mmCIF file of all heavy atoms in Angstrom:
data_model
loop_
_atom_site.group_PDB
_atom_site.id
_atom_site.type_symbol
_atom_site.label_atom_id
_atom_site.label_comp_id
_atom_site.label_asym_id
_atom_site.label_seq_id
_atom_site.Cartn_x
_atom_site.Cartn_y
_atom_site.Cartn_z
ATOM 1 N N VAL A 36 237.899 38.512 218.619
ATOM 2 C CA VAL A 36 239.187 38.454 217.906
ATOM 3 C C VAL A 36 239.987 39.717 218.160
ATOM 4 O O VAL A 36 241.201 39.688 218.388
ATOM 5 C CB VAL A 36 238.943 38.255 216.401
ATOM 6 C CG1 VAL A 36 240.248 38.365 215.641
ATOM 7 C CG2 VAL A 36 238.293 36.914 216.146
ATOM 8 N N THR A 37 239.316 40.846 218.162
ATOM 9 C CA THR A 37 240.012 42.112 218.379
ATOM 10 C C THR A 37 240.579 42.187 219.761
ATOM 11 O O THR A 37 241.713 42.655 219.959
ATOM 12 C CB THR A 37 239.046 43.266 218.126
ATOM 13 O OG1 THR A 37 238.506 43.156 216.838
ATOM 14 C CG2 THR A 37 239.768 44.627 218.289
ATOM 15 N N SER A 38 239.825 41.728 220.755
ATOM 16 C CA SER A 38 240.337 41.787 222.121
ATOM 17 C C SER A 38 241.486 40.840 222.333
ATOM 18 O O SER A 38 242.445 41.159 223.025
ATOM 19 C CB SER A 38 239.191 41.474 223.110
ATOM 20 O OG SER A 38 238.713 40.164 222.881
ATOM 21 N N VAL A 39 241.377 39.665 221.726
ATOM 22 C CA VAL A 39 242.501 38.709 221.844
ATOM 23 C C VAL A 39 243.752 39.265 221.222
ATOM 24 O O VAL A 39 244.861 39.169 221.759
ATOM 25 C CB VAL A 39 242.103 37.352 221.236
ATOM 26 C CG1 VAL A 39 243.328 36.442 221.135
ATOM 27 C CG2 VAL A 39 241.020 36.708 222.051
ATOM 28 N N ASP A 40 243.615 39.866 220.065
ATOM 29 C CA ASP A 40 244.792 40.452 219.392
ATOM 30 C C ASP A 40 245.369 41.606 220.192
ATOM 31 O O ASP A 40 246.600 41.804 220.226
ATOM 32 C CB ASP A 40 244.408 40.952 217.993
ATOM 33 C CG ASP A 40 244.081 39.780 217.071
ATOM 34 O OD1 ASP A 40 244.534 38.667 217.418
ATOM 35 O OD2 ASP A 40 243.399 40.002 216.059
ATOM 36 N N ALA A 41 244.495 42.334 220.844
ATOM 37 C CA ALA A 41 245.026 43.484 221.622
ATOM 38 C C ALA A 41 245.759 43.036 222.846
ATOM 39 O O ALA A 41 246.707 43.676 223.278
ATOM 40 C CB ALA A 41 243.869 44.415 222.008
ATOM 41 N N VAL A 42 245.337 41.891 223.468
ATOM 42 C CA VAL A 42 245.988 41.411 224.680
ATOM 43 C C VAL A 42 247.270 40.680 224.370
ATOM 44 O O VAL A 42 248.290 40.858 225.015
ATOM 45 C CB VAL A 42 245.012 40.532 225.498
ATOM 46 C CG1 VAL A 42 245.725 39.870 226.664
ATOM 47 C CG2 VAL A 42 243.827 41.361 225.949
ATOM 48 N N SER A 43 247.212 39.836 223.339
ATOM 49 C CA SER A 43 248.414 39.024 223.013
ATOM 50 C C SER A 43 249.502 39.910 222.440
ATOM 51 O O SER A 43 249.224 40.821 221.688
ATOM 52 C CB SER A 43 248.034 37.931 222.020
ATOM 53 O OG SER A 43 247.576 38.526 220.822
ATOM 54 N N PRO A 44 250.768 39.627 222.814
ATOM 55 C CA PRO A 44 251.883 40.442 222.274
ATOM 56 C C PRO A 44 252.130 40.179 220.817
ATOM 57 O O PRO A 44 251.816 39.098 220.312
ATOM 58 C CB PRO A 44 253.077 39.991 223.131
ATOM 59 C CG PRO A 44 252.726 38.623 223.541
ATOM 60 C CD PRO A 44 251.225 38.565 223.719
ATOM 61 N N PRO A 45 252.710 41.118 220.114
ATOM 62 C CA PRO A 45 252.989 40.908 218.664
ATOM 63 C C PRO A 45 254.019 39.803 218.495
ATOM 64 O O PRO A 45 254.971 39.680 219.247
ATOM 65 C CB PRO A 45 253.563 42.252 218.198
ATOM 66 C CG PRO A 45 253.268 43.218 219.279
ATOM 67 C CD PRO A 45 253.034 42.457 220.547
ATOM 68 N N ARG A 46 253.735 38.940 217.502
ATOM 69 C CA ARG A 46 254.635 37.846 217.217
ATOM 70 C C ARG A 46 255.711 38.219 216.215
ATOM 71 O O ARG A 46 256.589 37.424 215.967
ATOM 72 C CB ARG A 46 253.823 36.650 216.688
ATOM 73 C CG ARG A 46 252.912 35.991 217.745
ATOM 74 C CD ARG A 46 252.023 34.952 217.111
ATOM 75 N NE ARG A 46 251.110 35.577 216.163
ATOM 76 C CZ ARG A 46 250.242 34.874 215.399
ATOM 77 N NH1 ARG A 46 250.218 33.548 215.450
ATOM 78 N NH2 ARG A 46 249.438 35.473 214.564
ATOM 79 N N SER A 47 255.646 39.302 215.668
ATOM 80 C CA SER A 47 256.656 39.653 214.644
ATOM 81 C C SER A 47 257.960 40.065 215.315
ATOM 82 O O SER A 47 257.967 40.890 216.219
ATOM 83 C CB SER A 47 256.138 40.830 213.798
ATOM 84 O OG SER A 47 257.127 41.208 212.890
ATOM 85 N N PRO A 48 259.136 39.521 214.896
ATOM 86 C CA PRO A 48 260.436 39.908 215.472
ATOM 87 C C PRO A 48 260.932 41.251 214.959
ATOM 88 O O PRO A 48 261.993 41.705 215.319
ATOM 89 C CB PRO A 48 261.366 38.775 215.027
ATOM 90 C CG PRO A 48 260.753 38.304 213.765
ATOM 91 C CD PRO A 48 259.239 38.464 213.926
#
Side-chain angles (χ1 to χ4, degrees):
V36 173
T37 304
S38 62
V39 170
D40 292 340
V42 172
S43 62
R46 291 173 296 177
S47 176

